[in-house]
Amino acid sequence: MRPSFRSGFAAAALAAAFAAAPAGLVPAASAAQPAPAPVPPDPAPGGPERPYEPDVPGPENLDSLTVTATRGEGRGVTVAFDRRSRTADGSVPAAPRRFVFLFDRSIGFNPEAFPTCSAELIEEKGAQACPPGSQVGSGRSTSADGTLRDVLAFNAKVGALRGVLVVIPDTGVILEQTFERAAPPYRGAGYRWTLDEIIPPDGNPPGQRQGTARFELSFGATRTVNGRPVGFAETSARPGTNMRFGLWSEFVTGQVVLPEDTAKLR
């Protein structure tokens, strides 16, 4: 499966790396067939690892991304990701293995200022049992048949790491995200923090899992700490500033894509 590739900076960085590689490490391109686009590198290679599964045949996903960034109280900001997915042949999108949300370097996070919720509490008593103030985002999932499901995001600790729990109450799905610094070459391209989300294998064979046609998820909440508003996400940027965001995505077919978007701070 030839990977889709939508990142100008990563393409340039990888092209330069391939050009500098010793002869024999990079296969020569056939005169009759252009070389495939390089795969965007992992933005968060130091995070938790997903259990290994071999790639399976499936459709090529064609993903797009729209992001909005809206100022709130104090320096708080809400960043809303809107990912849409279709396939080249019109079939149901291949299921994901992993998503890495990439945030503009002007965005910082204050998870320590917010209460946390745990996956164990949600599994036992539901998302409504999470402590007040622990919800830091929300969204919506749209399946290929048009079914809509609410999505909730809670501040959490994932092992020893700070992170977010992404919860779909209708299905009981709980996904863990961990905060990690963006790795090179992303750091030099305007990114600072990532949220690394692993979609664990379930009881279905990878080829029988289905991807979503659309997934919307926002990050941002504000609470008062020591008499001043503190945002879960914050920025010192002024309204009108252009910010860069991305969503590195890996699917069960082995395909990796990186749609990006530039959002003007509202």
Side-chain angles (χ1 to χ4, degrees), residues 31-51:
Q33 186 176 8
V39 175
D42 189 339
E49 292 190 13
R50 185 183 189 275

Side-chain angles (χ1 to χ4, degrees), residues 139-143 146-151 168 212 214-216:
R140 186 170 60 175
S141 173
T142 306
S143 63
T147 301
L148 301 176
R149 294 184 174 90
D150 289 334
V151 178
I168 306 178
T212 54
R214 186 178 183 184
F215 197 85
E216 303 161 81

Side-chain angles (χ1 to χ4, degrees), residues 31-223:
Q33 186 176 8
V39 175
D42 189 339
E49 292 190 13
R50 185 183 189 275
Y52 171 78
E53 285 185 318
D55 298 343
V56 297
E60 179 182 15
N61 284 10
L62 304 175
D63 281 24
S64 63
L65 180 68
T66 302
V67 180
T68 60
T70 307
R71 282 293 293 262
E73 296 182 79
R75 297 197 304 173
V77 60
T78 297
V79 179
F81 288 78
D82 185 351
R83 164 190 170 263
R84 295 174 186 261
S85 189
R86 59 185 180 88
T87 61
D89 61 6
S91 59
V92 176
R97 286 176 177 158
R98 189 167 159 235
F99 292 118
V100 181
F101 295 80
L102 290 150
F103 295 87
D104 187 270
R105 62 187 168 194
S106 67
I107 301 284
F109 291 91
N110 297 303
E112 68 285 347
F114 288 75
T116 61
C117 194
S118 69
E120 292 76 17
L121 179 62
I122 295 172
E123 288 173 348
E124 180 183 353
K125 297 184 178 180
Q128 68 276 5
C130 287
S134 62
Q135 184 177 341
V136 293
S138 62
R140 186 170 60 175
S141 173
T142 306
S143 63
D145 65 5
T147 301
L148 301 176
R149 294 184 174 90
D150 289 334
V151 178
L152 307 175
F154 293 92
N155 187 38
K157 280 192 173 182
V158 180
L161 302 175
R162 292 283 185 177
V164 172
L165 296 179
V166 176
V167 181
I168 306 178
D170 284 356
T171 61
V173 168
I174 302 173
L175 301 174
E176 297 177 336
Q177 298 180 341
T178 53
F179 281 111
E180 297 159 45
R181 292 275 189 172
Y186 299 90
R187 288 181 192 172
Y191 294 118
R192 181 183 176 194
W193 283 104
T194 75
L195 272 170
D196 184 359
E197 175 180 300
I198 290 176
I199 293 84
D202 58 24
N204 298 314
Q208 294 181 18
R209 302 171 199 157
Q210 295 188 353
T212 54
R214 186 178 183 184
F215 197 85
E216 303 161 81
L217 184 60
S218 69
F219 302 92
T222 304
R223 67 191 305 258

